[in-house]
Amino acid sequence: MDDRALVYRGADQPDMSVINPESDVWQHIKAYSPISVRLYSRDMELSNQNVLHREVLPSQVVILSLVDNSLLTIKLHLCGSITFNGIISAPSAVRMLSWMIPTAQKQLGDPVDDLAVATVLMVVGGQLILLRPRKSANQEVKYDMQIFADRIEFCWIHLRGIGTLENSLWGYDGQGIRVWLNALAIESLLQREKDDDEPENSHLFLHHILRFLLGNRQVKEAVTFASHYKELIYFSHALEILLHTVVESEATLESESDSEDGEIAPDAVLPTVVEFLDHFDSALDVVVGCARKTELTRWKRLFSIVGNPKSLFETCLASQRLKTAGSYLLVLHNLEQLDENNDDAVRLLQSAVDGKDWQLCRELLRFLHSVDDTGAALRHALSKTNVVNFIDDDSLEVGLHASISP
């Protein structure tokens, strides 16, 4: 019966009639080739002799829909094809298949060329896969595959979002919703094909989501989320923005309230943010980077939570994070926690010499010269370290002479 349409005329039968193909309420109509749509009168018997109109269609009909007095048909027209060998092993594993076409192609392009520029999105066996097109030297279209996630049950795309939600990709993995912002920036990808050296526009979003999670005391969830992005070169910068935003916002709220200076409100987010930062190796850099961009009046509250800057300096020195220790040295200087002999600076200078970090040596020499115009601090440091043994090194010599010159 694959070549027949079964039509049930319910108006001729009682309401409780059972639909049965053997019943006389069914009319079997042979579907002849070519494909056609036939119109019959509802008041006449359904037979080939009573056809009011016959419309021959050039291709297979996928969907028929009657809207008021209009009959809408969706037909298939082959414009091209893509082979997914190596990606789709079994058709039944495909749960979703979609594509995104650039705006310029939609408005001005020929539909036949859609395949050459379309970004294909699919869910295969629980894997969320994105295929980005690129043309080879002989104009052959190939696809770069990117797997976003596993165990995805359903996903959808958001091409016309608000702000950072534009071009976002959303997926549900059975436990929660996962979001990839700007994942479908197909316009910028096409532009980048023209100039590989042109950077793709991007917007920082991590600190917004992390602040929301930490505001709800979801530290574990925030750590899990952030861990997916910790290899990015701007990850530490995003954490620094998070810390700086919270420090400034809570300081503003405190100034507008009657709370005592330094008192931490019960609903303060800063302690939770610091707890979150401790899960990442860049925490010490993030804290000192935030402090150097924050007013001195905020430092008391910040370091009351993250720890004494002197202890943080010692931690950096012990772990050979000398550049970070140099940043904490400036913090100690501004807080007037350095002794008159600048022993902390001298110890850091010796470690920089031992590690042959001449750039840091030059910066420390300039620092010692700036804190004591008489040059006593600089002479004391030179006498306590073996930096003079490397005076013949051209890179250090220039810095040293610049530091001790009047």
Side-chain angles (χ1 to χ4, degrees):
M1 299 178 66
D2 293 340
D3 59 351
R4 297 184 180 186
L6 306 181
V7 181
Y8 173 58
R9 298 191 62 177
D12 297 340
Q13 299 296 322
D15 292 340
M16 299 302 292
S17 295
V18 177
I19 299 177
N20 185 349
E22 304 299 329
S23 173
D24 58 0
V25 300
W26 287 88
Q27 297 289 337
H28 297 179
I29 303 172
K30 187 75 173 180
Y32 296 96
S33 182
I35 304 298
S36 64
V37 175
R38 300 180 183 188
L39 303 182
Y40 298 85
S41 170
R42 68 178 62 188
D43 299 323
M44 301 177 64
E45 182 182 355
L46 200 62
S47 66
N48 291 336
Q49 289 73 27
N50 296 324
V51 176
L52 298 179
H53 177 74
R54 181 173 178 265
E55 183 72 21
V56 178
L57 303 176
S59 58
Q60 178 70 45
V61 176
V62 179
I63 297 176
L64 283 176
S65 179
L66 187 64
V67 180
D68 295 329
N69 293 325
S70 301
L71 179 66
L72 306 181
T73 65
I74 298 179
K75 296 174 289 184
L76 295 178
H77 174 64
L78 182 62
C79 295
S81 63
I82 306 175
T83 300
F84 295 123
N85 291 338
I87 301 176
I88 301 176
S89 58
S92 59
V94 180
R95 293 189 177 183
M96 191 277 291
L97 180 65
S98 182
W99 70 359
M100 289 71 67
I101 302 174
T103 304
Q105 174 65 18
K106 287 182 180 179
Q107 297 175 348
L108 306 173
D110 188 335
V112 176
D113 300 325
D114 285 354
L115 279 178
V117 296
T119 298
V120 181
L121 179 70
M122 63 178 70
V123 177
V124 181
Q127 287 188 325
L128 181 57
I129 300 174
L130 196 68
L131 300 177
R132 303 184 190 273
R134 60 178 174 85
K135 286 187 177 181
S136 59
N138 58 359
Q139 297 301 304
E140 180 184 1
V141 178
K142 296 185 177 181
Y143 291 87
D144 295 324
M145 184 174 70
Q146 181 179 2
I147 300 177
F148 279 99
D150 292 321
R151 299 185 296 276
I152 296 297
E153 297 183 5
F154 180 76
C155 75
W156 66 97
I157 55 179
H158 201 58
L159 297 179
R160 294 181 178 85
I162 300 175
T164 56
L165 291 180
E166 185 175 359
N167 290 321
S168 59
L169 174 61
W170 302 65
Y172 178 70
D173 62 3
Q175 295 181 341
I177 295 178
R178 305 178 66 175
V179 184
W180 294 268
L181 301 182
N182 207 33
L184 308 176
I186 53 179
E187 304 289 349
S188 59
L189 286 170
L190 290 174
Q191 181 65 28
R192 191 171 61 186
E193 286 183 356
K194 301 177 182 178
D195 185 1
D196 292 337
D197 296 331
E198 180 180 349
E200 180 181 350
N201 293 331
S202 59
H203 302 278
L204 285 177
F205 64 91
L206 289 176
H207 59 289
H208 295 296
I209 299 177
L210 291 174
R211 186 177 181 183
F212 172 81
L213 293 173
L214 296 173
N216 288 286
R217 304 301 190 266
Q218 295 177 288
V219 177
K220 181 180 178 181
E221 290 79 1
V223 171
T224 301
F225 173 77
S227 296
H228 294 290
Y229 302 91
K230 64 181 181 180
E231 301 301 328
L232 298 177
I233 57 175
Y234 52 80
F235 179 68
S236 295
H237 179 58
L239 298 186
E240 188 176 312
I241 293 178
L242 167 67
L243 181 59
H244 183 270
T245 302
V246 172
V247 169
E248 290 296 327
S249 62
E250 293 192 354
T252 302
L253 291 176
E254 286 183 359
S255 64
E256 295 174 353
S257 65
D258 297 330
S259 61
E260 298 181 3
D261 184 34
E263 182 180 351
I264 301 176
D267 58 346
V269 182
L270 183 56
T272 308
V273 172
V274 173
E275 178 187 351
F276 160 78
L277 292 176
D278 286 339
H279 288 82
F280 300 95
D281 294 336
S282 58
L284 291 170
D285 299 275
V286 170
V287 170
V288 74
C290 173
R292 296 183 63 182
K293 297 178 180 65
T294 307
E295 297 180 16
L296 289 175
T297 55
R298 319 285 202 219
W299 286 15
K300 180 179 180 180
R301 184 171 185 274
L302 173 62
F303 287 109
S304 69
I305 298 175
V306 300
N308 190 307
K310 181 64 163 63
S311 300
L312 300 179
F313 169 81
E314 296 293 345
T315 301
C316 293
L317 195 60
S319 59
Q320 291 298 300
R321 303 174 69 164
L322 304 183
K323 186 176 180 180
T324 307
S327 297
Y328 278 103
L329 189 68
L330 296 176
V331 171
L332 295 175
H333 171 67
N334 289 322
L335 292 176
E336 299 181 351
Q337 293 188 15
L338 294 177
D339 58 38
E340 58 181 11
N341 293 324
N342 292 289
D343 289 337
D344 291 331
V346 172
R347 289 191 297 130
L348 179 58
L349 177 60
Q350 184 60 60
S351 295
V353 171
D354 295 340
K356 299 186 185 304
D357 189 342
W358 308 128
Q359 177 63 33
L360 180 57
C361 288
R362 288 197 298 271
E363 293 176 358
L364 289 171
L365 292 174
R366 293 192 187 99
F367 168 74
L368 291 169
H369 179 65
S370 65
V371 298
D372 184 3
D373 293 338
T374 66
L378 181 58
R379 289 191 294 271
H380 174 73
L382 294 175
S383 66
K384 293 294 184 179
T385 64
N386 59 345
V387 66
V388 292
N389 296 335
F390 300 91
I391 194 63
D392 291 334
D393 185 276
D394 292 339
S395 60
L396 181 59
E397 184 178 9
V398 173
L400 181 60
H401 288 170
S403 300
I404 63 177
S405 59

